[in-house]
Amino acid sequence: MLSFSVLPSLVYHNRLLIQAPFAVRSSLSSIPQVEEYKASKSTAERELSSELYSAVPFPQIRAAKRVVLVRHGQSTWNEEGRIQGSSDFSVLTKKGESQAETSRQMLIDDSFDVCFSSPLIRSKRTAEIIWGNREEEILTDSDLREIDLYSFQGLLKHEGKAKFGPAYRQWQVDAANFNIDGHYPVRELWTRARSCWSKILAHDSRSVLVVAHNAVNQALVATAIGLGTEYFRILLQSNCGVSVLDFTPRAEGGSPQICLNRLNQTPNSPVATGSSVGRKTSKRIVLVCYGSTQGETQASFPYSADRPLNMLGIIQSQKTAELLLDLKVSSIVSSPKNACVETANAISRVQEAADCLGADCVPRYVDMKQLDDLDIEDILQQSKDALEFPSLQPGWLREFEDEVVLKLWSQSGKAWESLLGELSDESEAEKTVVVVGHPAVHISLMGHCLNLTKEWMGSFHLDAGSICVIDFPDGPTGRGVIRCINYTAHLGRWSIPITRSTVDDEEF
């Protein structure tokens, strides 16, 4: 049951840049222009504009369109640790076939109008499994192939390191500027992703399935919401992970409004693995949205965290606690609101009892804290029109007055700094911090993690009981990597269906 909010068009962002500069991220349309521009700007100025000047708006659409992205299942070269790129010599493993079947079950009730697929064997086979017995033909598009890695392709990772040395190192730490055989693969990929969106949006369909690859799906997500090549490897795509983007037409025409409704809903638990972008991660933040509360209705005031959880909310909190058993949680930080504290207590009780399978066991200690800066409901209630927005409806977050959004952004920024401080405790080599709060504050926290601005808050959506996972492979002083957004598969029969709208099921 997904809803969609909005992202101001790129033209709108350009207008804002003239009036009041702020740090934004967007994709490229002309590499020579970018190089000339970068050479003429200071570091601070480059960060401020983030290549926005050369962005091209998306084509206008006539009706709402939902696009579901799926990465192919595990391939033989994934299993061997080879660099695949756009080569076509690997096929799905048995595990990969099983992952594709799980994704098929996740999407089985959706009435897709069309399926676009990469022509590469591993991706096309995944598409065939998910598409099942639908009659419509799968459309292959060469632009959906995986990133072109030229001389790197086919090498084991240690062979790439030994053969190419500095170039391989740049591929690992500065992929956006990585050059091989006279090519900039990530920049080329971003250009290709923009081309894909033009074709997907031009197709006469309302619900679209796209089956492709890790890097190209990253580029599709990033270019859709206006993030540049520096975000490569920041928005993870696991094997058969499902991501959902919603596009809605503007009344005035022009580039559609866009929302990332879900990122990387995986066949397996998103918290079971301890690695991120190929590196072990020992520091992690898990954002947990509290569940349904008493007296909550579709038309109720959207800030009900001061109410107790209802029965559904209690079940959601227990399901989240069970999911987090795959982690050893060090501390739980929550908003002081009632529903948040209840959810935090449920997670704590399960964590503390996790090792107690015998009579003589000692309960695990979990540090519990309340952080006032996570309490943002009172800020949102300052809006003159707040009562007109039913809970978590499309675009509700962007409808608030600018001064209200600014207060939310500012306070959530303080909360983010506090959480990074909590994660920085050197007394524990590995640390997981669970944060329980309102969807709006979690969206803001992810925005701060990604170095965005308050204008991006309409670009993401979260449902009750969902979780988001942020890994820090370089520690809390490094860049956060978003493992998943709006993950709800752990809720089982109480989950939010991946491809259902909370507002109007007939929209898609």
Side-chain angles (χ1 to χ4, degrees), residues 100-101 104 108 115 125-136 138 209:
E101 174 59 25
R104 186 184 76 84
I108 197 167
C115 176
R125 176 57 185 150
T126 302
E128 290 169 349
I129 293 172
I130 296 174
W131 201 237
N133 58 5
R134 292 178 173 91
E135 294 181 359
E136 295 82 2
I138 296 173
L209 174 65

Side-chain angles (χ1 to χ4, degrees), residues 12 118 169 179 182 220 250 285 297 319 353 370 388 431 475:
Y12 174 63
S118 159
R169 173 66 177 166
N179 181 301
L220 287 169
R250 296 176 184 274
I285 290 177
T297 65
K319 290 292 183 180
Q370 293 180 17
E388 297 179 10
K431 186 157 189 176

Side-chain angles (χ1 to χ4, degrees), residues 359-389:
D360 299 326
C361 72
V362 177
R364 177 195 303 169
Y365 174 73
V366 179
D367 190 20
M368 297 278 289
K369 299 179 180 179
Q370 293 180 17
L371 181 60
D372 287 338
D373 284 333
L374 290 173
D375 181 5
I376 50 81
E377 288 90 336
D378 292 340
I379 292 176
L380 297 180
Q381 290 183 43
Q382 296 174 16
S383 172
K384 300 182 182 68
D385 302 319
L387 286 171
E388 297 179 10
F389 308 133

Side-chain angles (χ1 to χ4, degrees), residues 64 83 119 138 151 193 201 257 297 307-308 337 383 385 436 452 495:
I83 302 170
I138 296 173
S151 295
L201 295 178
Q257 299 166 341
T297 65
R307 302 170 183 164
K337 292 294 188 185
S383 172
D385 302 319
V436 185
L452 301 177
S495 67

